Amino acid sequence: MYELTPEGREYLENGLPEKRLIRKIHGILGNKKKVRDLVSMPGFSIAFSWARKNGWVEVEGEYVKLTEAGKRALGEKTEIEKALESVAASGEAPKEALRVLVSRGLVKRKAEVPDEIAQLTPEMLLTGAWKKAKFKKYDVKAPAPAVYPGKRHPYSRFIDMIKRKFVAMGFEEAKSPIVELELWNFDVLFQAQNHPAREVHDTFFVEGSGTIPDRSLSERVKNVHETGWITGSSGWGCRWDYRRAASLVLRSQTTAASARYLYENRERPELKMFCIDRVFRPDVVDRTHLIEFHQAEGIVMADGLNFRHLLGVLKDFSERVVNCEKVRFVPSYYPFTEPSVDLYVRHPELGWIEVGGAGLFRPEVLAPLKVKKPVIAWGLGLTRLAMIYLGVNDVRDLFSRDIDWLRRKEVCLL
Amino acid sequence: MPVVEADIRDLKSLGVTEEEVETVGEMVKAVLEEKEGDLWKFEVTSDRPDMLSSEGIARAIKGFLGREVGLPAIRAAEGPELKVGSPKRSCVVAFSVRNVDLRGPVFRNLIQFQEKLAQILGRNRREAAVGIHDLDRISGPVVYREAKPEERFVPLEMYEKMSLEEIVKKHPKGIYGRDSGFGFQVFEDAEGIISFPPVINSERTKVSEDTKNLFVEITGTNPKTVEDVAKIMISNLCERGWAVERWVIGGEARPDLSPRQINVETAFVNSVLGLELKPTEISAILERMRFGVLDASERISVLVPPFRVDVLHPVDIVEDVAIGYGYNNMVPVYPKVHGIGSTLKETDFSEAVAEVMIGLGFQEILSFVLTSPKNQNEKMGVRTGGVKILNPCTRRFTTCRTWILPSVLEFLSANCHREYPQKVFEIGDCVVPGSTETGFRTKRKLAFAIAHDRANFTEGKSVVEALLRSLGLSWEIEEKKHPSFIESRCASVTVGNREVGFFGELKPEVLLNWKLEKPVVCGELDLERVMP
């Protein structure tokens, strides 16, 4: 289907310019007129070139002269004129004439209004064309191409959710540096300088050495290690080496963050702190071991806290964070806590699983930090929990480098 | 935690049943891990080296059940004299054990016991190590003395004489000792060398299941550890009713096996445990935990048996009260401690940045802080100074990342045959030099990367500007020269006259270093510097 352009409509009403030109010339003496008298006529060059092309006029010196054909043309409709009328009436015209009309910009193809709309367009909405058409039926079961949203990494999202649980329980977050003094990573935590955890197969040592700005702290730690100081302990009975304490390690336990936080906040009447961060330990990396992994750690300091309070916190945590109500407490050992306990929870599918360790900080830890109130502390093995919640069987997949897995992995809720 | 294998037949002969071992074990710090026929494997906590043998496990279970209570009978007579020269490994204790019966699982138990003690308590034989010999093959007085590397004897499992030096060089156990710098010292009887501690014993005095009398020598560098190992061994061997004789060194039969006395206040016990136990209740529990109690009053005088080398402070006694009472018999109480929960500003800010990046269609990734100079420097064409780990366990992880962009590229590199476009980001800690007590600082950074056929600077700039705008910052973009990026297609981001990051199109060389086959526009932002 075709329709007239505004120019085409004008010509339909007032005649084609070449027709207007020959009418102007006709009837004048000799049927000729000077070119310079004609050029002022609107659209002269279009009119002249078509009139000449049709053989209606010829140039005689400075005159444009009507030919016999031109005279005849005055009395009849040309093919072009007929086609113009035909397009105006029916939207169609003979092919050859149409081609000329389109090339002269007098008609154009009419916007298609299909019987069935595949894609709704802004134009259809604007013209109202959609009203006349039907929408093409879609096969809703036909496959659609996959698209992948930007998402959090499942494990980092899991960590954020655990943080949210701690916050909901009134704990404030703390952090400690990755490169740490042995003092904070071990000595303050009453781990003897010859403790096996301080050997090369359990701790990453870093080149260089640091300083301990608080010499009175290191003095108190030295005393408690060597003789038990004022705590009533016998201490480890070995010489304590300042240089060892000032040596550098990669943080091997988040308890270092607890110790720093306790010391900074020792004057507060009570506190609840948590820390979730990476720790570093040499190992052979396999499906159950990483050399860099996350630990979650919580402490509560307040007057009158006791072992039953610790069990209360662990039980509450199992219910809220691990969603397991059945717990079992098993005696354990950590150098910095006494009594110490390991927490097992009953998982609906996996049975009893160990999820963390806990205890009351030893007097040998608290006294050098000048903490005067009891402190309960616990740590969770976050990787184990994350593996269960994310359905991962190989711990290395928590740090998966597979973009397809990340793209397809569902967003997990705790 | 140390793992100990105990033969259930042996445990039974020591007076406990299978069911008791299964149920009570974990309550007294010997968690049954698995069974392989008669061989049961236990995880023992490292504070209780006295549980590294069947005797110790059985003793604890019998006590817990109230079948045998109070201080165990630990007696040792005075034996012959051990002459000591001036060896560098100067700490030494020796004792003999008579009328032993090592048949069946007992022999294996004894060998494991001495090995585990030397490994765990003796810190891999450095502080203390044990040698066990057939006493009946030893003749005449025994001397412990320094030795010359060329002295010779037939070591265990060998058929010809070797010099101490050869043993250190060639014998599997010697090779281990060479690294530890144990030095040269020997035990010698009338017939020659019987032991080169802590490396190897002689074939001549080798112990077997048929051995009837034992000679045990313990040497080391830490006098307390050497004595502790001796106390624990003697205590456990006494459980079998064997007769022990402590050899006399410097006029004294050592170690001293008398119990230590520690006073524990009843009020202290109750305040730590949140219980209201009477002195008599505490005292009954402690006797089940194999302590002796002299005086059950508000101030309880506790006698600590010689094998309980873990007891440093009254609080250690309190834990035993808790264990004897039963952790699972205590009613948990949630503490009423006030606290307003909060996350670190850094955590909140990281989450906000992640939200914007996800909105821009980026997938978050998670990498290790541990990395290698190859990834951090060489592949990127830069030199950064970071942490040097002195004892890396693989070449892949010898340092900590100082910048996070290489982590993101490593990720792209692992996914170059996956569907493009790939848009990823990571927010994580880096370790950079800084003026702190360690000389290093932990710094939170963001890196992003876009990879596809037509990735270019402009696309990266749109992302950077969208992020900065969303964070409410005003910024300047300036041309920057950076060895990882194509010249004139790299820019720095400045906020308040401080450079906070950079981005650009990676150089083809860098792309090829990572085996990447698509153009990549990427960048890094120091989150600490843009955090409000």
Side-chain angles (χ1 to χ4, degrees):
Chain A
M1 296 281 278
Y2 292 83
E3 62 186 355
L4 300 185
T5 64
E7 194 183 354
R9 218 168 290 125
E10 203 251 325
Y11 294 170
L12 183 68
E13 281 167 30
N14 305 321
L16 292 168
E18 57 269 33
K19 262 286 173 65
R20 278 184 267 165
L21 175 72
I22 55 173
R23 271 194 213 112
K24 247 193 167 85
I25 301 170
H26 177 67
I28 296 172
L29 182 67
N31 281 331
K32 61 181 182 187
K33 199 168 170 104
K34 277 190 177 159
V35 175
R36 70 160 185 273
D37 296 333
L38 286 169
V39 288
S40 58
M41 169 192 163
F44 167 75
S45 52
I46 298 174
F48 178 69
S49 68
W50 279 106
R52 203 154 96 156
K53 199 174 176 183
N54 293 345
W56 294 346
V57 294
E58 55 191 29
V59 179
E60 251 184 33
E62 52 184 326
Y63 292 95
V64 176
K65 189 184 172 197
L66 203 61
T67 62
E68 285 308 309
K71 287 175 195 159
R72 273 199 306 279
L74 279 168
E76 58 192 31
K77 276 185 184 161
T78 65
E79 291 305 312
I80 296 298
E81 281 169 311
K82 284 182 198 156
L84 208 55
E85 283 169 13
S86 162
V87 168
S90 68
E92 291 298 341
K95 227 177 183 176
E96 187 55 26
L98 256 182
R99 202 181 55 75
V100 176
L101 285 177
V102 170
S103 79
R104 289 187 65 176
L106 305 183
V107 307
K108 64 173 187 203
R109 197 180 274 277
K110 206 170 175 180
E112 198 80 35
V113 181
D115 300 336
E116 286 198 316
I117 298 177
Q119 176 65 51
L120 188 62
T121 64
E123 206 183 355
M124 292 176 199
L125 290 170
L126 215 62
T127 60
W130 59 273
K131 288 178 191 161
K132 294 172 198 153
K134 268 173 62 185
F135 285 90
K136 191 177 163 195
K137 189 174 161 55
Y138 260 46
D139 176 4
V140 294
K141 301 214 169 188
V147 288
Y148 306 108
K151 280 187 303 196
R152 294 300 301 271
H153 188 284
Y155 188 34
S156 76
R157 196 182 129 79
F158 172 83
I159 289 166
D160 279 355
M161 284 191 294
I162 299 280
K163 285 187 179 180
R164 217 176 289 170
K165 299 264 183 185
F166 270 104
V167 171
M169 291 164 78
F171 288 79
E172 50 191 283
E173 190 183 11
K175 187 177 164 74
S176 73
I178 289 177
V179 173
E180 185 57 285
L181 295 175
E182 286 204 39
L183 176 80
W184 289 108
N185 199 73
F186 293 122
D187 295 287
V188 161
L189 299 170
F190 198 53
Q191 274 179 273
Q193 292 196 323
N194 68 350
H195 192 280
R198 302 181 73 156
E199 290 183 13
V200 289
H201 35 266
D202 278 316
T203 301
F204 284 118
F205 294 92
V206 170
E207 190 179 68
S209 72
T211 51
I212 303 173
D214 190 342
R215 284 312 280 258
S216 64
L217 170 66
S218 64
E219 203 52 38
R220 293 192 297 273
V221 171
K222 174 187 168 74
N223 289 336
V224 90
H225 273 249
E226 289 184 347
T227 65
W229 193 40
I230 54 165
T231 61
S233 167
S234 63
W236 292 116
C238 342
R239 211 180 67 79
W240 186 85
D241 184 357
Y242 172 89
R243 283 167 308 174
R244 186 72 204 269
S247 303
L248 308 181
V249 294
L250 296 185
R251 178 178 57 217
S252 72
Q253 44 194 2
T254 45
T255 319
S258 300
R260 280 180 175 272
Y261 189 86
L262 264 182
Y263 192 43
E264 275 165 31
N265 296 279
R266 60 187 182 273
E267 302 295 348
R268 281 167 57 175
E270 53 189 33
L271 61 83
K272 291 159 89 172
M273 176 226 93
F274 81 96
C275 170
I276 298 182
D277 220 333
R278 297 177 190 224
V279 296
F280 305 83
R281 292 182 191 176
D283 210 327
V284 176
V285 176
D286 60 26
R287 60 200 318 281
T288 52
H289 295 90
L290 291 174
I291 58 175
E292 174 178 344
F293 54 96
H294 286 81
Q295 279 187 338
E297 169 109 358
I299 58 172
V300 183
M301 176 188 87
D303 279 320
L305 286 182
N306 60 50
F307 192 59
R308 282 172 59 207
H309 291 126
L310 174 64
L311 300 184
V313 169
L314 294 179
K315 190 165 192 307
D316 194 60
F317 226 82
S318 310
E319 287 170 15
R320 293 188 195 221
V321 178
V322 196
N323 299 329
C324 291
E325 289 191 10
K326 271 195 119 175
V327 297
R328 198 169 98 219
F329 302 117
V330 175
S332 186
Y333 173 71
Y334 299 97
F336 35 87
T337 56
E338 193 82 9
S340 302
V341 53
D342 279 341
L343 170 67
Y344 287 72
V345 300
R346 188 159 180 87
H347 188 274
E349 283 127 50
L350 304 170
W352 287 104
I353 51 169
E354 188 187 338
V355 292
L360 267 70
F361 271 139
R362 294 187 68 101
E364 295 96 324
V365 174
L366 298 181
L369 295 176
K370 292 187 162 178
V371 175
K372 297 182 185 71
K373 299 168 169 51
V375 176
I376 59 182
W378 73 99
L380 294 177
L382 216 54
T383 34
R384 183 78 192 278
L385 277 183
M387 285 170 75
I388 294 170
Y389 278 94
L390 301 178
V392 163
N393 295 319
D394 187 323
V395 68
R396 288 169 291 194
D397 287 343
L398 289 179
F399 290 84
S400 171
R401 280 208 202 118
D402 181 349
I403 199 169
D404 282 352
W405 184 76
L406 292 172
R407 280 169 168 171
R408 291 191 186 125
K409 182 70 187 161
E410 75 278 11
V411 176
C412 290
L413 293 170
L414 199 57
Chain B
M1 273 192 248
V3 174
V4 184
E5 295 172 351
D7 194 300
I8 185 62
R9 293 170 297 173
D10 192 24
L11 287 170
K12 280 172 161 169
S13 76
L14 288 162
V16 291
T17 67
E18 288 191 13
E19 200 195 339
E20 286 165 353
V21 173
E22 281 171 346
T23 53
V24 179
E26 73 165 32
M27 298 183 201
V28 295
K29 297 193 169 183
V31 179
L32 179 60
E33 287 289 307
E34 61 173 305
K35 299 174 186 176
E36 269 182 35
D38 287 331
L39 217 50
W40 290 19
K41 287 183 185 173
F42 298 87
E43 209 171 60
V44 174
T45 59
S46 57
D47 59 325
R48 292 295 299 271
D50 61 301
M51 307 266 275
L52 294 170
S53 77
S54 304
E55 303 91 2
I57 295 172
R59 178 174 56 213
I61 293 174
K62 285 186 287 184
F64 187 86
L65 293 168
R67 195 172 298 149
E68 285 178 15
V69 296
L71 283 178
I74 298 161
R75 273 181 285 274
E78 199 174 299
E81 196 192 353
L82 175 73
K83 287 202 172 64
V84 179
S86 46
K88 259 201 200 138
R89 192 174 169 87
S90 61
C91 309
V92 58
V93 171
F95 59 90
S96 44
V97 192
R98 293 194 182 271
N99 301 320
V100 303
D101 181 356
L102 299 181
R103 286 173 302 172
V106 181
F107 178 70
R108 193 193 148 96
N109 175 66
L110 179 67
I111 299 303
Q112 176 187 246
F113 189 28
Q114 59 98 11
E115 275 175 3
K116 296 270 175 190
L117 280 174
Q119 181 199 334
I120 295 155
L121 195 56
R123 307 288 188 249
N124 288 321
R125 298 188 278 160
R126 190 180 66 240
E127 292 193 6
V130 185
I132 303 180
H133 307 265
D134 187 338
L135 182 64
D136 298 330
R137 309 262 179 110
I138 295 173
S139 51
V142 179
V143 185
Y144 176 51
R145 60 167 177 84
E146 67 283 9
K148 294 194 186 74
E150 58 272 18
E151 291 188 58
R152 295 160 72 82
F153 74 111
V154 182
L156 216 54
E157 314 296 344
M158 293 282 163
Y159 303 98
E160 52 186 359
K161 279 191 173 181
M162 290 172 80
S163 73
L164 305 187
E165 208 168 18
E166 281 172 332
I167 291 170
V168 168
K169 279 185 189 143
K170 290 180 191 158
H171 199 282
K173 288 206 170 177
I175 287 165
Y176 174 75
R178 185 177 53 192
D179 298 335
S180 307
F182 287 137
F184 296 105
Q185 53 278 316
V186 294
F187 283 88
E188 186 182 43
D189 69 355
E191 289 175 39
I193 294 171
I194 60 171
S195 169
F196 167 25
V199 180
I200 194 136
N201 293 350
S202 70
E203 178 70 14
R204 170 162 63 93
T205 57
K206 184 176 163 182
V207 179
S208 74
E209 288 198 15
D210 303 321
T211 305
K212 293 283 174 273
N213 299 293
L214 303 173
F215 172 69
V216 181
E217 33 91 1
I218 301 160
T219 61
T221 55
N222 183 332
K224 184 176 183 302
T225 313
V226 169
E227 295 235 334
D228 284 350
V229 169
K231 286 176 186 176
I232 290 168
M233 281 200 81
I234 294 172
S235 300
N236 285 19
L237 298 182
C238 281
E239 283 291 314
R240 294 190 186 270
W242 296 341
V244 177
E245 289 173 3
R246 290 170 298 160
W247 286 41
V248 175
I249 299 169
E252 197 189 344
R254 290 190 303 134
D256 179 6
L257 294 169
S258 55
R260 279 181 297 152
Q261 187 177 330
I262 287 190
N263 296 325
V264 184
E265 309 279 339
T266 299
F268 179 64
V269 175
N270 285 326
S271 78
V272 172
L273 299 184
L275 298 173
E276 288 172 5
L277 297 172
K278 295 188 192 75
T280 49
E281 292 173 298
I282 295 173
S283 132
I285 290 173
L286 286 175
E287 293 206 310
R288 279 174 43 233
M289 300 307 290
R290 310 311 303 267
F291 291 97
V293 178
L294 278 184
D295 180 14
S297 62
E298 288 308 314
R299 181 174 225 220
I300 303 168
S301 295
V302 181
L303 293 176
V304 181
F307 57 88
R308 287 299 302 273
V309 298
D310 59 302
V311 175
L312 304 176
H313 187 278
V315 76
D316 295 303
I317 308 275
V318 176
E319 184 184 76
D320 274 83
V321 176
I323 290 172
Y325 185 90
Y327 281 13
N328 296 295
N329 295 329
M330 294 192 195
V331 181
V333 185
Y334 191 77
K336 292 195 178 69
V337 178
H338 176 71
I340 295 172
S342 61
T343 36
L344 290 167
K345 200 165 97 177
E346 187 186 83
T347 302
D348 298 343
F349 189 67
S350 297
E351 222 168 295
V353 170
E355 187 179 311
V356 176
M357 293 309 290
I358 286 161
L360 290 166
F362 285 76
Q363 168 67 48
E364 188 190 23
I365 65 163
L366 211 57
S367 313
F368 293 120
V369 167
L370 292 174
T371 181
S372 63
K374 189 175 179 191
N375 283 355
Q376 282 280 296
N377 297 331
E378 286 169 34
K379 290 189 182 174
M380 303 300 293
V382 302
R383 282 210 65 80
T384 63
V387 164
K388 187 178 175 207
I389 296 173
L390 296 170
N391 56 326
C393 42
T394 146
R395 269 201 313 206
R396 284 171 57 215
F397 303 120
T398 60
T399 185
C400 294
R401 63 188 176 194
T402 57
W403 60 325
I404 191 167
L405 187 59
S407 300
V408 173
L409 299 178
E410 198 179 347
F411 180 92
L412 291 184
S413 182
N415 288 286
C416 53
H417 299 297
R418 307 293 194 176
E419 199 179 321
Y420 284 92
Q422 293 178 4
K423 295 166 76 178
V424 294
F425 77 101
E426 176 163 5
I427 296 170
D429 284 338
C430 299
V431 179
V432 299
S435 49
T436 65
E437 55 200 339
T438 61
F440 294 99
R441 278 164 42 68
T442 308
K443 221 176 201 315
R444 185 63 58 93
K445 295 188 181 185
L446 158 83
F448 75 89
I450 304 169
H452 59 87
D453 290 346
R454 305 175 64 84
N456 61 32
F457 179 85
T458 311
E459 189 177 359
K461 186 172 176 184
S462 297
V463 166
V464 170
E465 292 192 326
L467 175 63
L468 295 168
R469 200 180 304 117
S470 301
L471 297 175
L473 298 166
S474 325
W475 67 92
E476 299 289 336
I477 305 275
E478 305 284 353
E479 193 176 322
K480 181 184 170 80
K481 279 197 189 345
H482 189 292
S484 307
F485 297 95
I486 296 173
E487 212 175 311
S488 94
R489 296 194 188 180
C490 173
S492 65
V493 181
T494 310
V495 171
N497 293 325
R498 230 164 39 136
E499 183 175 315
V500 300
F502 51 87
F503 65 95
E505 284 180 34
L506 280 187
K507 272 183 184 167
E509 300 95 294
V510 175
L511 291 174
L512 293 175
N513 288 343
W514 290 104
K515 297 191 165 58
L516 289 169
E517 294 160 5
K518 308 264 180 195
V520 171
V521 57
C522 56
E524 172 160 318
L525 208 60
D526 183 336
L527 293 189
E528 210 177 74
R529 292 195 168 172
V530 293
M531 192 159 72

